[in-house]
Amino acid sequence: MSATTQSPLERRRGRIAGPFLAPAVALYTALFIGPTLYSLYTSFTDWDGINSPQWAGTRNYTQLLHDPAFGSAFGNTLKIVFGVGAAIFVLSFGFLLMLREMRGRRLIRGAIFLPHIVSSIVLAIFWGSLLGLDGLVNQTLRAAGADPVEWLRPSWTMSVVLVALVWINTGYYVTILMAGVDRIPALFYEAARLDGANAWQRFRHVTLPLSWDVTAAAAVLWTITSVKIFEFLLAFGGNQGALPPTYQWNNAMFVYGETVGGVTPMNEFGYAAASAVTTLLFVAVLVVVLRRLMRREPLQF
């Protein structure tokens, strides 16, 4: 609608909205847009965080392509985004099938949501004590007459981390998806049941289509959240204040290690900023692709 066809009330609302939006826009610019633009600039410089940045062109990005630590970190980030994400949503849909008509579903939903509200550092310590050589799992194996297993051997550690992340986050996404399912009128399920649809058919033809917008939003939320996982990796893989080995890093850990983590003798803020910008571009492209792939016409009900 053009300005000439707007009613006086609509024009007044437009003028009133500006002063209310201005503080939020200023705060968002100062805390997010500004630092992001400065990080983009820093990624093209050689900066130790103390002295003045020196222009380095694309050297930091070229160095990233040949850095095995960054390659390992980016590979682990992909495993978390796609591998852990796929497991979370498969399990979440499985819980939806079970909890939709189960008695006590609120109690079960709360139980599986519990790990998400506990501190990641506490959960990392718990998993370390659970799977250590003298941990609860090996003690149970000894009591059963079996040999203990070195669960935290270097070749298994990242797999253990991925399983732990699935366990921590599944309850959160079950809660989000169940909120979308709970708004679906019961008459659709009653009609499907009268037509002879089983639980899987009701999920496929009723639950999933009518909660697709919530599923798409949850997928985007996981994509953004997954690249910021940091505390669990640091606490689980670190030892007496040291950083985890680089094969356990993701991109967030890489940025930390190259700056205040003390991996290099001189903090490489420009190099770390190049990694952060690369991660940001990766997430932005992935979110755009997800939005296009999961776009559906809204269903009215």
Side-chain angles (χ1 to χ4, degrees), residues 40-288:
L40 179 61
Y41 161 73
T42 304
S43 69
F44 292 98
T45 66
D46 183 10
W47 186 40
D48 59 5
I50 300 176
N51 300 309
S52 299
Q54 302 297 320
W55 185 258
T58 60
R59 187 183 63 192
N60 290 327
Y61 292 95
T62 304
Q63 186 177 345
L64 284 176
L65 296 177
H66 302 91
D67 189 343
F70 177 76
S72 176
F74 192 78
N76 288 333
T77 299
L78 293 179
K79 292 177 184 177
I80 294 173
V81 173
F82 296 107
V84 175
I88 286 174
F89 280 91
V90 169
L91 289 174
S92 297
F93 290 139
F95 278 114
L96 288 181
L97 285 172
M98 293 189 298
L99 297 178
R100 171 65 190 176
E101 301 173 0
M102 179 184 294
R103 290 184 178 180
R105 62 180 179 271
R106 295 183 183 275
L107 179 62
I108 298 175
R109 190 191 308 182
I112 62 178
F113 182 76
L114 182 62
H116 189 77
I117 63 177
V118 179
S119 169
S120 298
I121 297 177
V122 173
L123 294 176
I125 296 173
F126 167 73
W127 273 78
S129 61
L130 184 70
L131 299 175
L133 288 176
D134 295 324
L136 180 60
V137 174
N138 279 333
Q139 290 180 14
T140 304
L141 291 176
R142 289 191 185 97
D147 294 330
V149 178
E150 187 182 356
W151 300 102
L152 301 181
R153 68 185 66 177
S155 58
W156 289 10
T157 305
M158 197 61 205
S159 298
V160 171
V161 169
L162 298 180
V163 172
L165 291 177
V166 173
W167 174 69
I168 292 170
N169 292 283
T170 296
Y172 178 68
Y173 289 91
V174 169
T175 303
I176 293 177
L177 296 176
M178 283 296 295
V181 172
D182 288 344
R183 66 177 184 162
I184 301 175
L187 61 91
F188 289 104
Y189 291 98
E190 295 172 1
R193 190 178 295 106
L194 290 175
D195 289 338
N198 56 31
W200 165 250
Q201 290 171 332
R202 292 196 297 272
F203 170 78
R204 179 183 177 186
H205 298 290
V206 178
T207 302
L208 192 57
L210 296 182
S211 62
W212 187 258
D213 55 340
V214 178
T215 303
V220 172
L221 178 63
W222 167 252
T223 301
I224 297 172
T225 304
S226 60
V227 299
K228 298 187 292 182
I229 292 174
F230 171 76
E231 296 91 345
F232 185 89
L233 293 175
L234 178 63
F236 183 79
N239 182 23
Q240 297 180 353
L243 290 180
T246 55
Y247 60 80
Q248 295 180 29
W249 288 10
N250 64 348
N251 282 17
M253 183 64 67
F254 182 88
V255 172
Y256 177 79
E258 293 293 334
T259 53
V260 297
V263 173
T264 55
M266 297 297 293
N267 297 332
E268 299 185 4
F269 282 83
Y271 189 51
S275 171
V277 170
T278 302
T279 305
L280 177 62
L281 292 176
F282 165 71
V283 172
V285 171
L286 189 56
V287 167
V288 171

